[in-house]
Structure formats: structure tokens, C-alpha cells
Amino acid sequence: MLPKISILGVLLWLVTSYNGYSQTNEVDITQSLTLDDCLSYAFQNSETIKIADLENKISQADVGITKAQGLPQLNGSINYNNNFAIQRQFFPDFISPTVYQVLLQEQLLPDGSQIPEPGIVPAAFGVEHSSTAGVTLSQMLFDGSYFVGLQAARTYTELAQKSFEENKSQVAEQVTKAYYSVLVNRERQELIASNYNRLDTLLRETKLMFENGFVEKIDVDRLSVQFNNAKTERSNIDRLTELSYYLLKFQMGVPVEQPITLADDIADIDFDPEIAAESEFKYERRPEYAQVLINQELVQLDMKNNRFQYLPKLTANAAFGYNTGVNDFSEITNFEELWFEYGFWGITMDIPIFAGRRKHHTIQKNKVQAQQVELRSRFLRNQIDLEIAQARVALQNGVEALQVQQENLALAQEVFRITNIKYQEGVGSNLEVIEADNALQASETNYFTALYDALIAKVDLQKALGILVQP
């Protein structure tokens, strides 16, 4: 909980402003989008970002509420009472027995009233109609927790901002992976379409050769099976590519019915496994680690504030107003003659003496919390080191596997090309063509798997290093 802030908090209000995420130029999604375009659009339109931004604004409002506690508190009030049954005050008739008659004549007692006990007079001190109107003012003059409150207010806004940056990093990760998924599926879609066209041509040629008696029907049947599998695979990849577009648009905050096109290509992506040398890494780049540091500061500020609770607090109070009292309601608006002013001012000092050692135990709790946050920061540093090491190895392995699969794919394509030529020239068998095609499809599958794994490893390393979102 933030400590109470005094009137000087208004100065902090003048110099502290909300540093929300920076707005960029609106991206035209009807044009071809690069990865940077998609990220910019997501930062402006993603529901996750909008929710995080609203949380940030809520934290700003909470800080403002805390600051307002230290500003002057001015209140006005207007009151009217109809005293239809005035309460009696009992006192001894210490003057003379005629006091009762005087009270009766002055209408302080109702007609026919009887003194309940000899020597006791029940007097009604009051009037039938009474009213007051005035203002009260209070202002904190000194509170030991004030300066801590100023620091806590600034630190609290920093914590909210770091939380916003963490959400922004998560959105960047999701959009980047979805973008790469579209690129991979799009390239795979082109290659599978090429396979389909190749098998379609080969099947038509084989059927023609069968009609002319150069091949057997089993050769046509084998190729028909391959062609049907290729047809099914093409339909599957078409739907998968469409689904990957839907996922990207969802992560960006684009309506799913809005068509988009991507400008980047797989060939444009740099797979350098030495992204950002270790000597350049700083833990503070990771938003979650920055949050731990801020929590450490907040715990220290809370402890400092609790220690200040041993100091006295000084408050100024003042009130000013008018009041009246009449028996005839029509006279209550006689402001010039029947309304009388009143006022006072004073200073109150609250001196804490003994509260059952509550402050002592609260400070001990703060010390334990400080140790707990320190352990968390140490654990998080070790965890970040492990994530970076794992991501570097994964990227290196991914790049090497991708290079191997690229070579295997090129070899499989060449084997199929030669096998197909031999078959068409009559020196090869249909079975060899089928086997070469199966090997080619397996190589394609392995290539795209390695390609996707390398892209994901690249994103994971950028996130681990805290450079996925550029400041």
C-alpha cells in the first residue's frame, strides 16, 4: 500500500505525466505488410495491448487518488432540523420555586407539565427550527511518510509501465511467430502445388503410354495413388495456410474477414546464430526482471514508511459558517438578523505512543519480504541465463539442421529428376519413380520442419535477450 502523501504531492502531479506506449503512424493493412508493419499494427490494435494500456491508466488513477489525500480537504454543508420533540435537560431548582413558572411562561416547558420530583426542573433548551451552513478545511502540515509517498508514487508508475512492456513483448512474440508460420506455409504451399503439377503431368503421360502399350496398368495405378495423396496434401496445406493467416490477424487485432498480404520472404530472414553477443546483454532488458527490481524498491520504501509511522503527524483544521434557531419557520430566512456566524481554527498533533508492537512486526515483515524479493531476482537471473544458453544452442542446431535439410532437398529433387528422365526413356521403372517421389516428399517435410524450428529458435533467442521489441 502506498503511504499517504501531503499537500506537496501537487508538485509531483505537475512534473509526473503518463508515459504510455508511443503511438506510431497507422499501418495501411491493404498494402503488403512487412514484419515491422505487423508489429506496429498489433501495438496499436491488439486487444491484449489495449487491456494492458487500460491497466496502466488505472494505476495512474490510483496514484492520483493517493496524491489527493495530501491536498487540502474542503467540504461544505447545509443542515436543517425540525425539532418536533425537544429533549429535556434535568437540573435542580437552585434559584427559587418560581423558576418553574418562569420556564413555563417562557415556553421552555409545555403547558400542564409537572415537575417529576420536588426540586428538579425538566428544561427543554432548544427551538423548533434550527439550521446551519458552513465550510470545513483540513490540511496535513507534517507527515513523516510524505517523502516516501513521493518516491512510491513514481516507482508505482514505473512498475505499471514495465508490466505494459512485458505484455507488449508477449504480443511481439506471438505476432512474429504467427508471421513466420504464414511464410513457411506459403512456401510449402508453393512447393506442394509444384509437386501436384509434376505428378499430374507424369500421370497423364503414363496414361498415354499405357494406352499405347508401353507400360502396364499397375504403373498407372501407382501414380494415381501418388497423385491422389498429392491432391489431398495440397488441399490440406491450402486450409492450413488460410488458418495461419487467421492466427496472424487475430494476434494483430485485424478482423478475420479482412484480407492481408505479406511482403517478406523466407530468403530475406537472417538466421545468424550470434545475435547480440553475451557481453552486450543486460538483465534490465527483460521486463520481468525490471519488475523484480522495482518491487525491491517498493519493499524498501514500504519499510521506510513504516519506520516513519513512529513520528508525530501534524494537521491543521478550520471551520466557518452561520447558524440560526427559530420557533416560527417563516423566520428561518431572516439572514440579516437571525443568522449568526461562527468559526474556529486549530492544529492537531497525533503522537503514536504504543500500538501493541504492530509497527515493529510490520517492519520485520518488510525485512522478510526484502529477502524474498532478492531471492526471486537471483533466481530470475539464473533462469534468464539458462534461457539464453538454451536459445543459442537451439538456434545453432536449427540453422545447422536447416542447412542439412536444404542439401537433402536439393539432392532428392535431383534424384527424382534423373529417375523420371530414365523412366520416360524406358530405362527406368515406375517403382523407382514412386520411391524417388516419396523420398522427395519426405525431404520436403523435413526441410519445412527444420525451417520452422529455426525461425522459432530465432524468436526465442531474441525474447531471451530482451531485444524482440526495440526501445
Side-chain angles (χ1 to χ4, degrees):
M1 178 180 294
L2 291 175
K4 184 162 59 176
I5 304 173
S6 77
I7 186 173
L8 296 182
V10 71
L11 299 178
L12 182 66
W13 181 263
L14 296 177
V15 299
T16 303
S17 61
Y18 169 59
N19 295 320
Y21 66 94
S22 58
Q23 296 288 341
T24 57
N25 294 330
E26 187 69 25
V27 176
D28 184 4
I29 59 175
T30 62
Q31 304 296 322
S32 294
L33 303 176
T34 64
L35 176 58
D36 290 338
D37 292 334
C38 292
L39 291 175
S40 297
Y41 188 92
F43 294 156
Q44 297 174 12
N45 298 278
S46 170
E47 297 298 332
T48 302
I49 293 292
K50 290 180 179 180
I51 293 173
D53 183 45
L54 292 176
E55 288 293 335
N56 208 351
K57 292 179 179 178
I58 290 174
S59 69
Q60 290 290 326
D62 288 339
V63 173
I65 292 172
T66 304
K67 293 175 182 177
Q69 298 176 6
L71 299 179
Q73 306 296 311
L74 182 63
N75 296 288
S77 65
I78 299 176
N79 171 263
Y80 164 76
N81 290 322
N82 186 319
N83 305 305
F84 60 88
I86 301 174
Q87 184 178 1
R88 300 304 193 273
Q89 301 292 328
F90 298 91
F91 61 94
D93 184 3
F94 55 86
I95 300 178
S96 69
T98 60
V99 170
Y100 173 77
Q101 298 299 328
V102 173
L103 295 175
L104 183 62
Q105 292 176 1
E106 295 296 330
Q107 297 183 351
L108 295 180
L109 293 175
D111 293 341
S113 295
Q114 299 295 325
I115 298 178
E117 182 179 341
I120 300 297
V121 178
F125 292 98
V127 292
E128 185 175 352
H129 306 282
S130 63
S131 182
T132 60
V135 293
T136 60
L137 173 67
S138 64
Q139 172 57 53
M140 183 189 310
L141 297 180
F142 175 79
D143 189 340
S145 62
Y146 161 67
F147 296 103
V148 180
L150 296 182
Q151 295 175 319
R154 183 186 68 251
T155 306
Y156 186 58
T157 56
E158 291 176 0
L159 181 62
Q161 180 62 25
K162 292 302 179 182
S163 177
F164 174 82
E165 292 175 3
E166 183 179 10
N167 281 277
K168 190 174 180 180
S169 176
Q170 292 174 354
V171 169
E173 177 189 10
Q174 294 165 353
V175 170
T176 303
K177 289 183 177 180
Y179 189 92
Y180 287 159
S181 178
V182 173
L183 295 185
V184 171
N185 287 329
R186 192 172 64 180
E187 182 170 336
R188 186 179 179 188
Q189 187 180 35
E190 294 175 358
L191 194 55
I192 290 177
S194 177
N195 291 343
Y196 174 85
N197 294 332
R198 183 187 68 245
L199 288 172
D200 181 43
T201 301
L202 182 59
L203 178 59
R204 284 189 283 106
E205 292 176 350
T206 302
K207 286 181 179 180
L208 184 60
M209 295 171 64
F210 169 71
E211 293 173 358
N212 294 318
F214 292 103
V215 297
E216 299 178 359
K217 188 174 185 303
I218 190 173
D219 296 329
V220 177
D221 292 340
R222 286 171 179 166
L223 283 175
S224 296
V225 172
Q226 290 294 105
F227 176 76
N228 290 335
N229 290 338
K231 184 178 180 179
T232 301
E233 188 177 10
R234 188 182 68 166
S235 299
N236 291 341
I237 191 59
D238 288 342
R239 287 189 288 267
L240 183 60
T241 302
E242 184 179 7
L243 182 61
S244 63
Y245 271 105
Y246 284 164
L247 177 60
L248 175 60
K249 288 186 284 188
F250 171 77
Q251 302 293 3
M252 292 172 56
V254 177
V256 293
E257 65 275 6
Q258 172 67 47
I260 61 173
T261 57
L262 306 187
D264 292 340
D265 190 79
I266 291 294
D268 301 327
I269 300 176
D270 180 18
F271 287 98
D272 181 9
E274 297 301 327
I275 300 175
E278 290 188 43
S279 59
E280 300 176 357
F281 174 71
K282 295 181 179 179
Y283 292 105
E284 290 76 8
R285 288 179 179 173
R286 295 282 295 267
E288 57 269 43
Y289 183 76
Q291 286 179 309
V292 171
L293 296 182
I294 294 174
N295 280 324
Q296 282 183 315
E297 184 177 355
L298 285 174
V299 170
Q300 295 297 327
L301 289 173
D302 192 29
M303 184 187 307
K304 188 176 181 180
N305 172 63
N306 288 322
R307 286 171 175 165
F308 276 135
Q309 299 303 313
Y310 288 103
L311 299 178
K313 298 179 181 179
L314 198 63
T315 306
N317 300 281
F320 180 79
Y322 291 85
N323 70 332
T324 187
V326 295
N327 287 319
D328 186 354
F329 182 77
S330 62
E331 293 293 327
I332 201 170
T333 58
N334 189 350
F335 300 108
E336 295 183 359
E337 297 181 1
L338 298 181
W339 282 77
F340 304 93
E341 66 180 21
Y342 68 89
F344 73 89
W345 69 269
I347 297 178
T348 301
M349 177 179 288
D350 293 324
I351 305 175
I353 298 177
F354 181 73
R357 292 175 60 83
R358 180 179 60 85
K359 299 183 186 69
H360 169 76
H361 292 297
T362 302
I363 293 174
Q364 296 305 312
K365 176 183 175 181
N366 292 146
K367 292 180 179 180
V368 176
Q369 289 174 331
Q371 296 175 358
Q372 187 181 50
V373 175
E374 174 59 30
L375 289 175
R376 286 177 179 172
S377 66
R378 188 184 310 168
F379 175 80
L380 184 55
R381 287 195 299 270
N382 293 333
Q383 183 179 14
I384 291 174
D385 291 339
L386 177 60
E387 289 178 2
I388 293 175
Q390 290 176 329
R392 287 187 185 278
V393 171
L395 181 56
Q396 290 174 348
N397 292 341
V399 171
E400 293 176 2
L402 179 59
Q403 292 172 348
V404 171
Q405 295 305 324
Q406 284 176 326
E407 295 177 1
N408 290 342
L409 178 59
L411 291 173
Q413 290 172 338
E414 182 64 15
V415 169
F416 180 85
R417 186 184 69 83
I418 296 175
T419 303
N420 187 36
I421 293 175
K422 291 173 60 179
Y423 172 70
Q424 292 177 345
E425 293 180 351
V427 295
S429 67
N430 175 265
L431 186 58
E432 290 177 339
V433 174
I434 300 298
E435 291 177 350
D437 183 71
N438 288 333
L440 177 57
Q441 292 186 29
S443 297
E444 291 172 352
T445 300
N446 293 336
Y447 165 73
F448 285 113
T449 300
L451 176 61
Y452 183 75
D453 290 343
L455 288 170
I456 296 303
K458 171 184 169 68
V459 177
D460 290 341
L461 178 56
Q462 289 176 320
K463 181 183 178 183
L465 294 171
I467 59 175
L468 189 58
V469 178
Q470 298 299 328

